[in-house]
Amino acid sequence: MSDPHLYGVLAEFATAEQLLAAVARARTETRHAVLEAYSPVPVEGLVEALGPRKADRIPFWMLLGAIAGGAGTFALEWYAAVWDYPINVGGRPTGSWPAFLPPAIEMAVLGAALFGVLAMLISNGLPRWHHPLFEVESFGRASNDRFFLLLRAIDPKFDPRRAREILQTLTPLTVREVRL
Amino acid sequence: MAAQMRSEAAAAPLMDEGETYTSITSNVSAITLHRRFGRLWLTGFTVALALALLLAFGVGWLLAMGVGIWGLNIPVAWSFAIADYVWWIAIGMGGTFISAALYLTRRDWRNSLNRYAETMTVFAVSVSGIFPILHLGRPWFFYWLFPYPDVMNVWPQWRSSLEWDFFAIIAYLLVSILYWYVGMIPDLATLRDRAPTLARARWYGFFALGWRGEARHWRRFETVSLLLAGLAVPLVFSVHSMVALDFSEGLVPGWHSTIFPPFFVAGALFSGFAMVLALGIPMRKAFHLEPYITERHLVNMAKMLLAVGLVVDYSYLSEIFTAFYSMDPYEVALAKNRFFGAYAWVFWSTILCNVVLIQLLWVPRVRANPRALVAISLGVLVGMWLERFMLIVTTLYRDFVPSSWGMFYPTFWDIAFLAGSMGLFFVLYLLFVRLVPVVSMFELRKMVRKRERELA
Amino acid sequence: MSPLRPTPPPDSDAVGLQLDRRDFLQTMAASLALAGLTGCSHPPQEEIVPYVHAPLGQIDGLPRFFATALLRNGYAHGVLVENHMGRPTKIEGNPQHPASLGGTDIFAQAAVLQLWDPDRSQAVMRREDVTSWEAFGAELLKWSARFDQTHGAGLRVLTETITSPTLSSQLDALRRKYPQAHWHVHQPAGQEQALAGARLAFGEPVSSRLHLDRAKVILSLDADFLSDPAAGVRYARDYIAGRSPEHQGNTMARLYVVEATPSLTGAMADHRLPLQCAQIEIFARHLARRLGVANVVEDGLDARQTRWLDELTRDLQAHRGEALITVGPAQAPWVHALGHALNATLGNVGATIEYSNPVEALPGESGSLADLVGAMRAGSVDTLLVLGANPVYDAPADLQFAAALEKVPHLVHLGLYRDETGARAEWHLPQAHSLETWSDALAFDGTATIVQPLIAPLYEGRSAHELLAALLGESQQRGREIVRRHWQERLDDAAWAAALQTGVVPNTALPTRSPSLHGDALERALPPLQAAAALELLLRPDPTIDDGRWANNGWLQELPKPLTQLTWDNAALISPELAARMDLSNGDIVEIRLRERARRVPVWIMPGQAAGSITLHLGYGRRRAGRVGDGRGFDAYPLRTTGEPWCARDVQLAKTGDRYELAGTQHHFNMEGRDLLRTGTLAGYLRDPHFVTRADRYPGAPPSLYPDYPPGKYAWGMSIDLNACIGCKACTIACQAENNIPVVGKEQVRRGREMHWIRVDLYHEGPAENPRTHSQPVPCMMCEHAPCEVVCPVDATVHDSEGLNVQVYNRCVGTRFCSNNCPYKVRRFNFLQYVDKEADTLKAQRNPEVTVRRRGVMEKCTYCIQRIEAAHIEADKGSRRIRDGEVLTACQAVCPTQAIRFGDVADRQSAVAEAKASPRNYVMLGELNTRPRTSYLARLRNPNPALEEKT
């Protein structure tokens, strides 16, 4: 690759529609695979437009968290009340499983929530307090009212000059190089 | 009446046509970033802080002397502190429910309410949490309810509803904090990007975790938000059912009742909605949020308040009915005691607030009148506290054995802790309105985006 | 306590002191704060003899029991004192003592707290200066030198009622040595009227002895024989023996009570007639006339009373020789005389009532307090020796004793406390406690007990014996030697040891005799009838602090008064009618005016109180009782006169409009139609033995979803016979003593935070003018399906294999859900730090076998688990099972009527299982399916069919 310090080329758009169009063009014209799109709101269809991706595992992890929390708690209760310290409480059986359910349920919900949030953050690569895009001054509006398309330099088909040309044709507000 | 409601709902858009991404972002973030402290805020904060300090002093005194500084006795071994606890955690429920249930049902009008509703939840639950602990005879051993291999080789006693509730509170506190915080990340990013000083940019940047709004991030964010909402709703029901079981697991007439869980959940939403209104309307005025929290929002909230209020009233009715229908002498005696006993005034005030007062909400003009709504909400909040007091004290002060009947009289500290807990809540809440956006910017932006697509 | 730091008693040698200090520190293993105590708490030097086994060496940690006697109004109550490493900690009754038979009254239980009371007098005081016995001895020498010339002129000795043979012989010796000296007796609640009555009837004073177990029909004229100071415990046992249908061939004695103010005896009555004190006299005359004893003027009773009287008369006549008429100490002498005559005509003498020479030593002519005060006024008293009495506080007001004291140069006061009298004395001498002294005393029937000390005097206390010996200038001045010498010819060393061991001197009961009636004397004695006044004031000793001597005893102050459940105060008991008429409610302050004297006191509405009678209990309003008792309640003595010591006529009552907060432990006395306390009549019981459980929804326990736990080695359970319970509350205070239950004080009681583990509930049934009154002791029910356990989040209350619902103090975090969920409300919570962590002597009193609970934990009845464990250890040593009756709970052991049975319910042979097999057996709130191990036997009445009101 030519310039090792080049992270990618960033185009800024005024509307989501322009962004969507830009993404489509970028992929059809240049067969560009590694693109990233930034927006102040989730834009429907954008992810699909950016190209094939492997499905999110978040629901799976949350299920796992629920099972871990619920089954784990129930197992602990059973162990504590039936094996480790069985004792006559109010004449109730030591393994009074219906009474063991409520804590298990609560812990299942907690487990699911924790795993879900962690899965989301990790698969999003967050937290990440430093990012080349933060160096781009106009990028601040990505959290306000502007839409951005980034062609990553690591893409084998990436060619800075060509990339600029294409992006220019998409009536962007600005086109910048993002440097590491 | 119903038809008229529908027409009402159809009217008045949820957001002004003129609103754009830019306007929303700048208006809302300005409240946090650029607004000066108003005199109103300062006075409010001072009062709240004073009450919070009273609470702090009370806690010290309690730890030094013991729970005997309250008016507790045998037979009335629970009273104010537990009523306060139930009251606060119930208020929390309302916030989660509004945010999550309406999200699942795609009710866009929750978008301008959910942020401060969730915040209210987090603070209310935190405040409520201190009561069960301080209420212990030996508060410093509260962690014995947590299962860990301790030196006595003893575990918690899993059949106790107090144990269940311990887990419920922990789960609920953590989940609602997660739900609240995750939902705030994009807005924190906005504040980061708009912060006037580097220091504040760093501050918000830290909590924004480096959010950039990349499309795939948004997708996962949406997924997890949806699923969290899906968890939050059953959580609300289960947690407050646990609270109900704190009583109905007992065999005391007045507690030993299968209706309690649903009845308590309804009560929780009831007081929760009331608090959302009571907080939202003044805030809306103070921060000029009328464009986002419109009259239609208030009307919708009022309708929900009425609806859930009617469920509560129904539970009152069915409770009284079952008492007499059962012909159980103790249940009947208790019911009569509530009507005519020493604490009859509490019962009738409860009825006044929670049954009579809310009937005003049938009137459209009332529903549309912010002042009236605040008044009614405050009435409901008072009523719900009294209801909890009634459920606890009128049950305990006269149970099975007449020789052991005895009255409860609150002490100064009973009242101080209640007032102090309010102080603590408002300290937290007033700080919140200064530090984070009181309405969710990105969710309002989503509404703009939605409108764009409808036009396109 | 440097000035008060006690020097060891003169007879204690250094070695002993060392040893004892070591023992003591072993026992206490406690704070340095005890240093002050260690020097002065040790076993007595002389050989004392334990009750059970011969005195081997002290086995560390094992309690030993010693037999001795505690005095009430001078009469001996045989007790066994539990002694932990030289510390008396608990009192039990002495089964071999006729006045006890194993039970005790509340005062005996409280004696141990009195022993350790830090407010006790600790040093010899001359006026306000602390001085020494030596100094007093020197002074005494000067005096006796003077008395030797004057033959004791001006020397007066004032004592309370005395039964001690040694002491009375010492007093005789004194009077022999000093013929001019005088001995006076002052007992605020004594037997003067009864003795005077005997003089009227027989021309000589005699003591009566009741045999309630032999009586089929009993009439009490204002006689509360169940709380008789001398024999109440024994009388209760005898009375109940005659009331148990199972053991009496399906018969029960019938009790008629005529009284002005409700009493324990009245509460037990099958028929109770509330009459003013004055009307009781009229009633007695009518009865006398009907039975042809004395021919007295007829005077109107109303129709109901007449009918009552007719049926009573019929019943009495139908039971000649097995009837009994007993008259209360408050009644006029001639009423007592009538009583004797009636018993004679009914042929009861020798059967249900016996006479003997007076048990108490009588001072003879002019031996009364009034005589003393007369002499004091006349200035003829130079030196007054007050032994134990407290006349400055409790003398009748009209004597103005305090004023008369001005004329007495030398007042010497020997007392447990530096009380009102001690404070006025020139010399105050600390008296040794009964548990610290050698002495002797007689029971109600004359049976003698040698009083042996359990511990050397904690402070500088000495006994009356030692003081008199010093006054007599005798060579031997040590308590033991004085007593031993008195019994020298009667008891050789072996017999002496045996007497000490068993706590009774065999065959010392006074022989019974049948004195002849002076009928005509009686006729002449009858005063002209006085019409009953509209309002009369009854003065009675307080149910829990007696005549005031127990005012500084926290246990007794906090023990709910049996018939009002009030604590820490006295109140004027008024009838519901009077309350309605004057629009008074509980706690209203009224002014009671008796001629020129008046007192402001709060009122308490007492169901069953005679309409025109106001009852005010003596003993409160102490000024020098100690930190606990000072200023509590209202002093009634200012309303007491020598003329009308018990019943003052024509008093005025005025409402003041002020209020006073009374602290009661029970506020609702109506059972609200619930079947918690079940009663029936003997007839009904014989008709349908199972009437008690007829109405129950389930026969036995309701079905349960839960499989039963495998039975443990024992299944502990308790049965409480409501037919035997007289509501005396000895169980409550015995439990308090055994289980280190703290005293919480009036304010906390008002908040509803009293700590008693076993309470005695009180319910009234029927019209407020004359209700039926029932008592129900309520300990922990030890539910097999305990509601308290299920709701505890930390396993702090759980079941053990023997069915005990145990409370684990160190695990308790104090959620209090268990208490809310206890249907019987027997759980108690330490809302604040109730246990006194400072006072060393109180620490020394506590039972080392029982944990002292701190603030923030729940506590409750444990069935005295420490005693069960002790029995386990004993049984394991012999590798045998625990025998039935080997474990006695504190409440069971103390119960005068043995209403409480405890043991292994799984063992069919056990007493408790036998009791539970009775058709009268039921459990409280059985329909809740808590499956209590504590069950009750229903109460039975035996009403006269002709009088039974149809209700």
Side-chain angles (χ1 to χ4, degrees), chain C residues 424-439:
Chain C
R424 287 290 308 271
E426 177 191 12
W427 288 90
H428 165 72
L429 312 172
Q431 185 177 23
H433 191 273
S434 306
L435 297 172
E436 298 171 329
T437 43
W438 287 95
S439 181

Side-chain angles (χ1 to χ4, degrees), chain B residues 260-296:
Chain B
F260 263 37
F263 166 26
F264 265 53
V265 172
L269 302 182
F270 190 40
S271 51
F273 295 164
M275 191 58 132
V276 169
L277 277 168
L279 284 179
I281 292 170
M283 185 179 76
R284 164 177 184 258
K285 190 161 170 46
F287 297 146
H288 311 295
L289 292 172
E290 288 83 356
Y292 309 117
I293 304 177
T294 65
E295 178 180 317
R296 194 175 138 203

